[in-house]
Amino acid sequence: MRVIVVGAGVAGLALARGLLAAGHDAEVYEESPEPRTAGGSVTLWPGSTGILEELKADHGRVGRRLETLESWSSDGRRLVTVDLTAAERKYGHPTVHVARGELVELLAEGVPVTYGARVEHVDPWRAEAHLADGTTVRGDVLVGADGRRSVVRDALWGEDRAELTPWVTWQGFTTAPTSLTGGGAAVMMAGLAGLCGLIPAGEGRLLWWFDVRSAPGEPFWADDPRLAERLRERFGGWADPVPAVLDSLAAPSPAAPDFFPHHRQPIPEVWGRGPTTLAGDAAHTMPPTMAQGANQALEDAWLLARSLDDLRGYERARARVARRPARLAATELTDMHRPAAGLIPDRLATWLNTAWLRRASTYLLTAS
């Protein structure tokens, strides 16, 4: 089949890669004039690394393999540790953390992408996309993988059903030496001020992020001129390595931190019409608190590449699974101060996480 893919993010590139490997003709059209490599980094769970291996995208070339997921109090006390190698042993694939730009570059290898191609209008019933330059492209199937502000979704649904939650994320990288940078531990520190997350991303980089409550027009919103100062007021007294991260944020840097407002969106059972469907954030925007956005995008791509003759079946199957992390992420549970987390034994936390990863993955549910 000839498949038109709108959007060259994780979902679109992974889908095109899978379609090409299966012998289909895939064309990707991306509004940006160049590859979209901004946006911090992402944690890829065993289902996603298994999918990457099937796509012949060597995740071992990038990022950092993670061994533990640890919850700390703001004073540095370890509350609970999840052993991520337990899931690796059970499912046969590791958990890795990788810069989003490196993941996009990895998936884009060998995939034909037309950049600077902005889609202005879509005819879902004809699998037809009209570009800003006057060009019209048509396929046997059209897939909107064009993110939260999807033009294809608007043509299908007629409205953006996502709504803001009371939380936002600021994130970036630091190359300042810390005790976590060269290791395999992902750390989340929650307190009354909010949450600080720290994960090694390879190449001497540590991803940091701060989740805080905010809304349009309030402190910590986009372009806050006092961001560094406000974060220091909130988190400056927290345990190492948070002070070092705040110091790096205040220092001159060529890269400004990324701002992400949190959105939650109901996920319908049917996403598309006729020969047109959706993948990735276009179909199921969710807060980043469960680290599932890129993972669910890869899951969509994996199943859709096998389901071109049954698009509604693909949508129903993915909706059943994607709703689980989306609903949990919408509670913003991981951002909340939870002193009782220290009462959970590490062994139980590891078992729960391993079981949860399977329930959040179409790939693992199908393979096991």
Side-chain angles (χ1 to χ4, degrees), residues 6 31 118-122 124 130 144-158 278 282:
V6 181
E31 178 179 2
R118 179 164 61 88
V119 174
E120 289 191 332
H121 174 70
V122 170
H130 303 272
D146 47 341
R148 210 202 68 71
R149 299 178 182 85
S150 171
V151 174
V152 181
R153 184 197 59 229
D154 289 349
L156 290 166
W157 296 4
L278 302 172

Side-chain angles (χ1 to χ4, degrees), residues 4 27 81 305 358:
I4 303 299
E27 300 176 8
T81 297
R358 182 173 180 270

Side-chain angles (χ1 to χ4, degrees), residues 47-271:
S48 291
T49 53
I51 290 169
L52 290 179
E53 288 163 16
E54 286 201 10
L55 293 175
K56 303 294 190 294
D58 184 8
H59 60 77
R61 292 162 39 195
V62 295
R64 169 80 57 174
R65 173 178 169 270
L66 297 180
E67 298 176 352
T68 60
L69 174 61
E70 303 177 11
S71 176
W72 294 5
S73 64
S74 59
D75 61 6
R77 288 180 296 113
R78 186 189 64 81
L79 300 176
V80 64
T81 297
V82 172
D83 179 6
L84 298 178
T85 67
E88 181 176 348
R89 291 190 297 272
K90 182 174 180 62
Y91 302 124
H93 310 289
T95 297
V96 302
H97 193 77
V98 57
R100 183 180 294 273
E102 292 175 354
L103 176 61
V104 166
E105 290 173 352
L106 189 67
L107 290 170
E109 292 176 356
V111 175
V113 180
T114 301
Y115 291 100
R118 179 164 61 88
V119 174
E120 289 191 332
H121 174 70
V122 170
D123 183 340
W125 291 107
R126 294 169 61 88
E128 193 172 84
H130 303 272
L131 308 183
D133 65 1
T135 303
T136 297
V137 293
R138 182 185 300 167
D140 299 303
V141 172
L142 173 68
V143 181
D146 47 341
R148 210 202 68 71
R149 299 178 182 85
S150 171
V151 174
V152 181
R153 184 197 59 229
D154 289 349
L156 290 166
W157 296 4
E159 61 181 351
D160 182 359
R161 302 174 188 175
E163 61 180 14
L164 288 169
T165 83
W167 290 86
V168 303
T169 294
W170 285 95
Q171 73 171 21
F173 293 111
T174 180
T175 56
T178 76
S179 58
L180 299 175
T181 304
V187 171
M188 294 193 298
M189 304 171 67
L192 295 176
L195 177 135
C196 176
L198 304 161
I199 308 184
E203 303 294 329
R205 297 165 301 184
L206 183 74
L207 176 78
W208 57 263
W209 77 92
F210 292 97
D211 285 358
V212 294
R213 289 183 177 271
S214 188
E218 294 184 2
F220 295 109
W221 197 254
D223 301 320
D224 184 342
R226 295 184 54 222
L227 175 65
E229 180 183 347
R230 294 189 199 278
L231 289 174
R232 187 174 294 280
E233 290 170 354
R234 287 278 189 99
F235 299 96
W238 285 27
D240 289 334
V242 176
V245 169
L246 292 169
D247 288 343
S248 70
L249 179 60
S253 170
D258 292 310
F259 170 72
F260 298 101
H262 292 197
H263 290 84
R264 55 188 166 215
Q265 170 191 308
I267 301 176
E269 185 169 322
V270 175
W271 304 347

